[in-house]
Amino acid sequence: MLKSEDIMKVTIIIPNYNGKHFMEPCLKSLEVQTCKDFKILVVDNHSTDGSLEYMAQYYPDIEVIALKENYGFSTAVNTGIRHAQTPYVILLNNDTTVDTHYVEAMIQAIEESPSIFSVSSKMIQMYHPDLIDSAGDLYTVLGWGVCRGAGRSVQNYQNTDKIFSACAGAAIYRKKVFEKIGYFDESHFAYLEDIDVGYRAKIYGYQNTYCPTALVYHVGSGTSGSKYNTFKVKLSARNSIWLNYKNMPFFQLLLNFVPLVVGYFVKYLFFCKINFGNDYKEGLKEGWEKRKSCNKVPFRMRHLGNYIRIELELIKNTFSYISDWIQRKLLKN
């Protein structure tokens, strides 16, 4: 914000769709950062709530890219990443505010090693600041993405750690790696695209890590409007099929066939219980029917060791998740 872009380290990309009411607190929190080594870029997904007019009136110095349609999260952030001229990009949801040391902590974390592709922040529930929203994402052999630490006390997850993928709601990425592994999959529109790109990075041998000192306060579902709805359930189900199909070579899909089927069946029962069973089933059907249109990650023998490490991590994460779920149930009783 205070430096010319050619010597800045980070572009903070804020995707926006009808989030005018979120913009002021988010941008105000960025104004008081201890590190000023960044530029802000807002990518607007054809908002109809006056967001563009608001930005032009109150934040004329912030660059805004206005898309002609609502292309979804993936296209919006890809537009911003490609436009950025800095070595790192931070993706930040508009329904967030950040701690004053946030940018500084994120830069320090990603510069720990050139093998780090992304760093996930410690996301805290905006309206329950004693609880964690996400401490990075995990992925399991059941085909379930897990927000690590969700609902746990903020006193947990105090140490730097390796994770499966960063939560793209508030994460920093090494820009040049996208040119090697590919950008966020725009066919996803939204949901699971961050696990997908993190998975791809791991196949290529990169790491995704978690920074406990980069604090972000998150409203949650600020754009979609609710934790579960028809739109979100369908897209998440469809994208879960694509995520596995694209990233797992045939031998890994064969190895994981039974746990994946179990995982999808259990999820279907869960969504039936909350009256979204048909939506989930329709999403799975669309994902299966259109799976061959996906850009599958080409299998290369030199990545075999990475596939083995990923498989072991998927199994480990599954047992960790089941153990955590049991502990939570026991605490409630």
Side-chain angles (χ1 to χ4, degrees):
M1 286 168 55
L2 297 180
K3 297 184 177 183
S4 60
E5 187 179 359
D6 60 342
I7 58 172
M8 288 181 182
K9 285 190 174 181
V10 182
T11 301
I12 299 177
I13 300 166
I14 304 175
N16 178 66
Y17 176 66
N18 289 341
K20 180 180 73 172
H21 54 298
F22 291 127
M23 295 307 292
E24 182 176 2
C26 179
L27 295 172
K28 289 290 185 185
S29 70
L30 292 173
E31 288 178 359
V32 294
Q33 290 296 296
T34 54
C35 171
K36 305 295 183 181
D37 204 1
F38 65 92
K39 173 190 175 179
I40 300 173
L41 173 64
V42 174
V43 183
D44 188 84
N45 252 324
H46 199 59
S47 294
T48 57
D49 67 342
S51 289
L52 292 176
E53 294 79 3
Y54 175 81
M55 291 301 299
Q57 180 177 355
Y58 294 102
Y59 295 95
D61 295 333
I62 292 179
E63 185 176 7
V64 177
I65 297 176
L67 302 181
K68 294 181 180 180
E69 296 179 32
N70 178 12
Y71 292 106
F73 178 87
S74 297
T75 297
V77 297
N78 282 348
T79 300
I81 294 167
R82 291 189 175 101
H83 184 77
Q85 300 298 313
T86 52
Y88 310 119
V89 292
I90 287 176
L91 306 186
L92 187 65
N93 281 4
N94 56 5
D95 62 337
T96 61
T97 61
V98 298
D99 178 74
T100 55
H101 298 279
Y102 172 74
V103 174
E104 180 181 4
M106 291 297 259
I107 293 174
Q108 289 177 351
I110 201 166
E111 291 187 337
E112 284 292 319
S113 169
S115 67
I116 296 175
F117 166 58
S118 69
V119 180
S120 201
S121 59
K122 187 172 189 175
M123 300 181 75
I124 298 168
Q125 296 181 26
M126 180 80 76
Y127 303 127
H128 299 280
D130 56 326
L131 300 177
I132 292 173
D133 185 57
S134 173
D137 288 337
L138 301 180
Y139 198 56
T140 72
V141 77
L142 297 169
W144 298 352
V146 179
C147 282
R148 196 174 72 129
R152 291 287 193 183
S153 166
V154 292
Q155 302 305 317
N156 294 301
Y157 300 96
Q158 300 281 15
N159 298 318
T160 301
D161 202 1
K162 291 181 181 179
I163 54 175
F164 193 86
S165 66
C167 174
I172 189 169
Y173 296 84
R174 194 177 301 272
K175 184 178 184 293
K176 68 179 181 180
V177 176
F178 286 105
E179 298 167 8
K180 182 177 181 180
I181 71 170
Y183 291 75
F184 287 89
D185 190 335
E186 296 182 4
S187 65
H188 274 224
F189 191 86
Y191 308 120
L192 299 180
E193 72 292 319
D194 47 4
I195 295 180
D196 174 57
V197 79
Y199 199 138
R200 232 181 304 144
K202 293 175 78 68
I203 292 172
Y204 281 80
Y206 291 96
Q207 300 176 22
N208 304 302
T209 65
Y210 161 71
C211 179
T213 57
L215 306 180
V216 179
Y217 298 88
H218 184 216
V219 173
S221 302
T223 298
S224 63
S226 60
K227 185 174 181 179
Y228 298 115
N229 54 62
T230 293
F231 174 79
K232 189 172 182 178
V233 170
K234 279 186 178 180
L235 255 63
S236 296
R238 182 197 68 181
N239 293 349
S240 69
I241 294 287
W242 291 352
L243 191 159
N244 294 317
Y245 177 78
K246 287 186 298 178
N247 293 294
M248 292 186 185
F250 178 75
F251 71 85
Q252 194 177 19
L253 285 170
L254 193 63
L255 179 65
N256 295 330
F257 178 76
V258 172
L260 285 172
V261 169
V262 171
Y264 285 124
F265 181 67
V266 172
K267 274 260 180 127
Y268 172 68
L269 294 179
F270 167 76
F271 283 117
C272 283
K273 187 177 179 180
I274 59 173
N275 299 317
F276 288 107
N278 286 334
D279 297 321
Y280 184 72
K281 186 168 62 176
E282 287 178 19
L284 292 180
K285 181 182 177 183
E286 181 183 354
W288 178 255
E289 291 176 347
K290 296 182 178 179
R291 69 192 186 284
K292 292 186 178 179
S293 65
C294 297
N295 293 319
K296 192 169 175 66
V297 178
F299 174 77
R300 296 186 173 95
M301 277 303 298
R302 67 176 181 270
H303 293 156
L304 182 60
N306 297 334
Y307 282 113
I308 293 172
R309 282 186 284 272
I310 289 169
E311 181 65 21
L312 293 174
E313 186 175 356
L314 293 176
I315 295 170
K316 176 186 173 184
N317 289 345
T318 303
F319 283 102
S320 295
Y321 172 76
I322 292 172
S323 174
D324 182 68
W325 184 83
I326 291 172
Q327 288 179 33
R328 290 177 189 240
K329 287 294 182 182
L330 290 175
L331 287 173
K332 284 184 178 180
N333 296 333

